[in-house]
Amino acid sequence: MFAHTTSLTLRRSLLALALSALAGAASADVLHVELDTSGFGPLSWIDLQFNPGNMNGVVLAEVSLSHLSGFDASLAPELIGDVTGSAASGFHFANTTSWNDLFHAVRGKVSFDVTFSGLADPSFNTIQSAFSVSLYGADKVTQLGNAAADGSLLRLDWTPSAVAGGKGSVSTGYLDGANVSVSAVPEPSSWLMLGAGLAMLGGAVRRRNKAALPAA
């Protein structure tokens, strides 16, 4: 009975460790965005906009896109404002202009990671920077999906940290859940913690099962 109780307590503790790793993943700075455009036809155009907030001339944020999939590099993208990069290397939205836009051909299942970075200062913590995702048909005019009033299927609002040197926070201003999904990308430390917890849990279960086997 004591061995069973100890084993149960150990398993609960290890499960709590694994869940705490996932909780840490939910607060990660990097977000993963997915869209399935296959239902809209063989070719669509994604419109990615970044409007950096500023206060008294100080611009607060930048955005980087990485791990792009489904972007058709055979058609030239349209870059407006302070946007650089390519589908192969990723794109970067800087903040020297108030409006930055990437218009790119996409096919099928589309995905990318979004990383926000910027200043952290208590005096700026009410100023948001907005990143939005819209989708258009092959004609580059027809809006697709269940768009908000501003045409976006997704809007992410980044707010600077209220503590100097701290991390900012991202909130979802709008999400067309039928066509777009957003998830946090776990930090490497979270994956390591989760992996260690699950490995220890598996070891505990194997030891318990072995102990339960009848003696030969």
Side-chain angles (χ1 to χ4, degrees), residues 210-216:
K210 184 177 180 180
L213 292 174

Side-chain angles (χ1 to χ4, degrees), residues 132-134 136 143-155 173-176:
S132 65
V133 180
S134 303
Y136 294 86
Q143 280 192 346
L144 305 177
N146 306 308
D150 62 359
S152 63
L153 303 180
L154 169 67
R155 193 183 83 247
Y174 177 78
L175 173 65
D176 173 12

Side-chain angles (χ1 to χ4, degrees), residues 153-188:
L153 303 180
L154 169 67
R155 193 183 83 247
L156 300 173
D157 298 321
W158 184 85
T159 305
S161 169
V163 179
K167 294 182 179 180
S169 62
V170 182
S171 60
T172 303
Y174 177 78
L175 173 65
D176 173 12
N179 296 290
V180 186
S181 65
V182 182
S183 58
V185 178
E187 297 178 355

Side-chain angles (χ1 to χ4, degrees), residues 45-57:
W45 288 83
I46 193 169
D47 186 21
L48 305 173
Q49 295 185 23
F50 177 55
N51 302 86
N54 69 82
M55 175 178 278
N56 300 325

Side-chain angles (χ1 to χ4, degrees), residues 56-186:
N56 300 325
V58 178
V59 184
L60 303 178
E62 300 181 17
V63 163
S64 294
L65 305 183
S66 59
H67 303 104
L68 283 73
S69 178
F71 285 69
D72 188 345
S74 68
L75 298 174
E78 299 176 20
L79 308 179
I80 300 175
D82 201 347
V83 186
T84 57
S86 67
S89 63
F91 289 94
H92 181 73
F93 294 73
N95 50 34
T96 59
T97 59
S98 60
W99 178 59
N100 307 283
D101 188 270
L102 166 63
F103 202 60
H104 207 296
V106 292
R107 298 179 186 272
K109 292 185 177 180
V110 179
S111 64
F112 54 91
D113 292 345
V114 184
T115 303
F116 287 84
S117 60
L119 298 176
D121 189 288
S123 62
F124 296 147
N125 70 336
T126 59
I127 306 299
Q128 291 183 327
S129 297
F131 175 81
S132 65
V133 180
S134 303
L135 200 62
Y136 294 86
D139 61 1
K140 300 184 179 182
V141 176
T142 303
Q143 280 192 346
L144 305 177
N146 306 308
D150 62 359
S152 63
L153 303 180
L154 169 67
R155 193 183 83 247
L156 300 173
D157 298 321
W158 184 85
T159 305
S161 169
V163 179
K167 294 182 179 180
S169 62
V170 182
S171 60
T172 303
Y174 177 78
L175 173 65
D176 173 12
N179 296 290
V180 186
S181 65
V182 182
S183 58
V185 178

